[in-house]
Amino acid sequence: MFQLSHKLGEETAIMNFHQQLTSSVEDELCIAALHYLRNHYEEATEIYKKLLLENRDFHALNAYVALCYYKLDYYDVSLEILAVYLGINPNSIIGVNLKACNHYQLYNGKAAEAELKTLQNSSTSGNIFQDSDLLRHNLVVFRSGENALQVLPPLIDIIPEARLNLVIYYLKNDEVLEAYKLVKDMEPVVPKEYIIKAVVHAVMGQNEENKEHLSIAQKLYQLVGGS
């Protein structure tokens, strides 16, 4: 109910549930998850690390910490912590995918895709990429937009990054109006969302010589710069 209240934007309910939480492991995990959902990755990391120190056999916490460091752009640190988890669960889709994403940020798409191939090699159930929305989404990114129009649209309401990556695809292919349709009602939360929405408005403004679009783009850039 805690996370559901967040998803529905019910702040009063969130506060009520928060007051009912205890210091149990389960409740601490709930608080950490809420921090993560709100993009408060440092706060989430602190809770996960504390729980890990107290519960060494909770190996999945290493993956959670690694994911937080990835979100904070500490890719090398993320890989180092993730290695502990993958040493125990080498065929974890979440773990291997996160490793691939770190490699994408540090190196390139080919290096990232090479990591994912270990999942296919160890799979005993057909094409693992077709069975996982997350992997299909990330393959599009790793392959610089290949099959974007087939893969990304159905995932927009499933994987948050799918919308942004589809916008990027449209911009690269000069389909600015399609990109605008995806961002016009989007409320940015993190810097990347502000920047992408600003770019769309800037391009729209330049193409149409529209001062309103240029003004919106400027305000969005200023919000990122001032954060």
Side-chain angles (χ1 to χ4, degrees), residues 44-202:
T45 300
E46 289 305 311
I47 294 174
Y48 288 137
K49 288 167 69 175
K50 170 180 171 291
L51 290 173
L52 191 56
L53 285 172
E54 298 170 352
N55 305 274
R56 292 287 187 179
D57 56 335
F58 286 13
H59 304 299
L61 290 174
N62 288 291
Y64 296 161
V65 174
L67 183 57
C68 288
Y69 277 118
Y70 172 82
K71 291 290 188 178
L72 290 167
D73 298 337
Y74 295 124
Y75 306 120
D76 287 324
V77 178
S78 177
L79 282 172
E80 183 179 344
I81 296 170
L82 187 61
V84 178
Y85 176 72
L86 287 175
I88 301 168
N89 301 282
N91 298 323
S92 163
I93 291 179
I94 297 298
V96 174
N97 176 71
L98 180 54
K99 184 178 180 181
C101 290
N102 275 302
H103 279 222
Y104 177 73
Q105 297 294 341
L106 289 170
Y107 309 115
N108 52 49
K110 287 186 177 180
E113 189 173 345
E115 292 300 323
L116 292 185
K117 286 181 179 178
T118 61
L119 289 174
Q120 183 60 60
N121 294 338
S122 62
S123 175
T124 58
S125 58
N127 190 337
I128 194 170
F129 298 114
Q130 293 305 314
D131 296 336
S132 170
D133 290 337
L134 181 62
L135 296 182
R136 286 191 296 115
H137 168 274
N138 286 350
L139 276 180
V140 170
V141 177
F142 298 161
R143 293 174 177 175
S144 302
E146 182 180 314
N147 296 323
L149 293 181
Q150 290 74 38
V151 175
L152 299 183
L155 301 179
I156 284 178
D157 295 322
I158 300 174
I159 299 176
E161 292 83 358
R163 179 182 299 273
L164 296 182
N165 286 317
L166 187 55
V167 171
I168 292 170
Y169 172 84
Y170 282 136
L171 287 173
K172 286 182 176 179
N173 289 275
D174 296 322
E175 297 183 52
V176 184
L177 185 57
E178 293 301 319
Y180 175 67
K181 290 176 182 176
L182 289 172
V183 303
K184 65 178 181 178
D185 297 321
M186 181 182 79
E187 293 295 333
V189 177
V190 296
K192 184 178 181 179
E193 293 173 349
Y194 279 97
I195 292 169
I196 289 177
K197 187 166 185 175
V199 169
V200 173
H201 278 285

Side-chain angles (χ1 to χ4, degrees), residues 1-56:
M1 295 300 293
F2 203 33
Q3 277 75 32
L4 180 60
S5 298
H6 164 76
K7 190 174 182 64
L8 296 174
E10 297 177 352
E11 290 297 322
T12 302
I14 290 174
M15 293 305 298
N16 289 336
F17 284 122
H18 190 278
Q19 292 172 0
Q20 299 174 34
L21 295 176
T22 67
S23 59
S24 69
V25 172
E26 292 80 6
D27 285 355
E28 289 285 312
L29 287 171
C30 282
I31 296 172
L34 184 65
H35 279 309
Y36 182 88
L37 290 171
R38 291 190 161 193
N39 306 305
H40 300 159
Y41 303 120
E42 292 181 354
E43 291 86 344
T45 300
E46 289 305 311
I47 294 174
Y48 288 137
K49 288 167 69 175
K50 170 180 171 291
L51 290 173
L52 191 56
L53 285 172
E54 298 170 352
N55 305 274
R56 292 287 187 179

